[in-house]
PDB file of all heavy atoms in Angstrom:
ATOM      1  N   VAL R 136     -36.050  12.513   9.953  1.00 96.00           N
ATOM      2  CA  VAL R 136     -36.536  12.618  11.314  1.00 96.00           C
ATOM      3  C   VAL R 136     -37.702  13.610  11.436  1.00 96.00           C
ATOM      4  O   VAL R 136     -38.397  13.597  12.446  1.00 96.00           O
ATOM      5  CB  VAL R 136     -35.393  13.000  12.314  1.00 96.00           C
ATOM      6  CG1 VAL R 136     -34.310  11.977  12.320  1.00 96.00           C
ATOM      7  CG2 VAL R 136     -34.844  14.425  12.016  1.00 96.00           C
ATOM      8  N   LYS R 140     -44.002  12.070  12.868  1.00 97.00           N
ATOM      9  CA  LYS R 140     -43.927  12.510  14.286  1.00 97.00           C
ATOM     10  C   LYS R 140     -43.026  11.597  15.068  1.00 97.00           C
ATOM     11  O   LYS R 140     -42.253  12.044  15.984  1.00 97.00           O
ATOM     12  CB  LYS R 140     -45.288  12.503  14.863  1.00 97.00           C
ATOM     13  CG  LYS R 140     -46.070  13.801  14.606  1.00 97.00           C
ATOM     14  CD  LYS R 140     -47.351  13.875  15.355  1.00 97.00           C
ATOM     15  CE  LYS R 140     -48.127  15.080  14.981  1.00 97.00           C
ATOM     16  NZ  LYS R 140     -49.396  15.115  15.575  1.00 97.00           N
ATOM     17  N   VAL R 141     -43.009  10.249  14.725  1.00 98.00           N
ATOM     18  CA  VAL R 141     -42.250   9.360  15.473  1.00 98.00           C
ATOM     19  C   VAL R 141     -41.357   8.566  14.484  1.00 98.00           C
ATOM     20  O   VAL R 141     -41.928   7.933  13.537  1.00 98.00           O
ATOM     21  CB  VAL R 141     -43.055   8.378  16.328  1.00 98.00           C
ATOM     22  CG1 VAL R 141     -42.167   7.458  17.170  1.00 98.00           C
ATOM     23  CG2 VAL R 141     -43.990   9.140  17.270  1.00 98.00           C
ATOM     24  N   TYR R 199     -36.700   9.299  17.531  1.00 98.00           N
ATOM     25  CA  TYR R 199     -37.023  10.720  17.339  1.00 98.00           C
ATOM     26  C   TYR R 199     -38.521  10.901  17.532  1.00 98.00           C
ATOM     27  O   TYR R 199     -39.312  10.184  16.938  1.00 98.00           O
ATOM     28  CB  TYR R 199     -36.531  11.190  15.975  1.00 98.00           C
ATOM     29  CG  TYR R 199     -35.061  11.582  15.926  1.00 98.00           C
ATOM     30  CD1 TYR R 199     -34.173  10.542  15.713  1.00 98.00           C
ATOM     31  CD2 TYR R 199     -34.642  12.879  16.055  1.00 98.00           C
ATOM     32  CE1 TYR R 199     -32.818  10.848  15.687  1.00 98.00           C
ATOM     33  CE2 TYR R 199     -33.308  13.188  16.051  1.00 98.00           C
ATOM     34  CZ  TYR R 199     -32.363  12.184  15.857  1.00 98.00           C
ATOM     35  OH  TYR R 199     -31.047  12.477  15.842  1.00 98.00           O
ATOM     36  N   ILE R 200     -38.886  11.929  18.290  1.00 98.00           N
ATOM     37  CA  ILE R 200     -40.281  12.311  18.347  1.00 98.00           C
ATOM     38  C   ILE R 200     -40.322  13.818  18.023  1.00 98.00           C
ATOM     39  O   ILE R 200     -39.669  14.637  18.633  1.00 98.00           O
ATOM     40  CB  ILE R 200     -40.845  12.119  19.781  1.00 98.00           C
ATOM     41  CG1 ILE R 200     -40.832  10.539  20.087  1.00 98.00           C
ATOM     42  CG2 ILE R 200     -42.295  12.584  19.868  1.00 98.00           C
ATOM     43  CD1 ILE R 200     -41.455  10.197  21.428  1.00 98.00           C
ATOM     44  N   ASN R 201     -41.192  14.113  17.042  1.00 97.00           N
ATOM     45  CA  ASN R 201     -41.294  15.509  16.527  1.00 97.00           C
ATOM     46  C   ASN R 201     -39.948  16.104  16.177  1.00 97.00           C
ATOM     47  O   ASN R 201     -39.654  17.230  16.436  1.00 97.00           O
ATOM     48  CB  ASN R 201     -41.953  16.372  17.593  1.00 97.00           C
ATOM     49  CG  ASN R 201     -43.081  17.192  17.013  1.00 97.00           C
ATOM     50  OD1 ASN R 201     -43.640  16.902  15.987  1.00 97.00           O
ATOM     51  ND2 ASN R 201     -43.378  18.323  17.648  1.00 97.00           N
ATOM     52  N   GLY R 202     -39.106  15.314  15.472  1.00 96.00           N
ATOM     53  CA  GLY R 202     -37.834  15.867  15.022  1.00 96.00           C
ATOM     54  C   GLY R 202     -36.794  15.913  16.092  1.00 96.00           C
ATOM     55  O   GLY R 202     -35.652  16.358  15.827  1.00 96.00           O
ATOM     56  N   GLU R 203     -37.165  15.606  17.347  1.00 96.00           N
ATOM     57  CA  GLU R 203     -36.163  15.730  18.441  1.00 96.00           C
ATOM     58  C   GLU R 203     -35.708  14.376  18.910  1.00 96.00           C
ATOM     59  O   GLU R 203     -36.517  13.426  19.103  1.00 96.00           O
ATOM     60  CB  GLU R 203     -36.816  16.456  19.637  1.00 96.00           C
ATOM     61  CG  GLU R 203     -36.507  17.934  19.605  1.00 96.00           C
ATOM     62  CD  GLU R 203     -37.195  18.634  20.792  1.00 96.00           C
ATOM     63  OE1 GLU R 203     -37.030  18.115  21.924  1.00 96.00           O
ATOM     64  OE2 GLU R 203     -37.844  19.644  20.590  1.00 96.00           O
ATOM     65  N   VAL R 227     -47.148  16.010  21.416  1.00 96.00           N
ATOM     66  CA  VAL R 227     -47.116  16.150  19.951  1.00 96.00           C
ATOM     67  C   VAL R 227     -48.424  15.637  19.282  1.00 96.00           C
ATOM     68  O   VAL R 227     -48.481  15.332  18.106  1.00 96.00           O
ATOM     69  CB  VAL R 227     -45.876  15.362  19.325  1.00 96.00           C
ATOM     70  CG1 VAL R 227     -44.594  15.983  19.870  1.00 96.00           C
ATOM     71  CG2 VAL R 227     -45.948  13.932  19.580  1.00 96.00           C
TER      72      VAL R 227
END
Side-chain angles (χ1 to χ4, degrees):
Chain R
V136 300
K140 277 186 181 172
V141 183
Y199 277 81
I200 296 180
N201 227 24
E203 265 180 49
V227 300

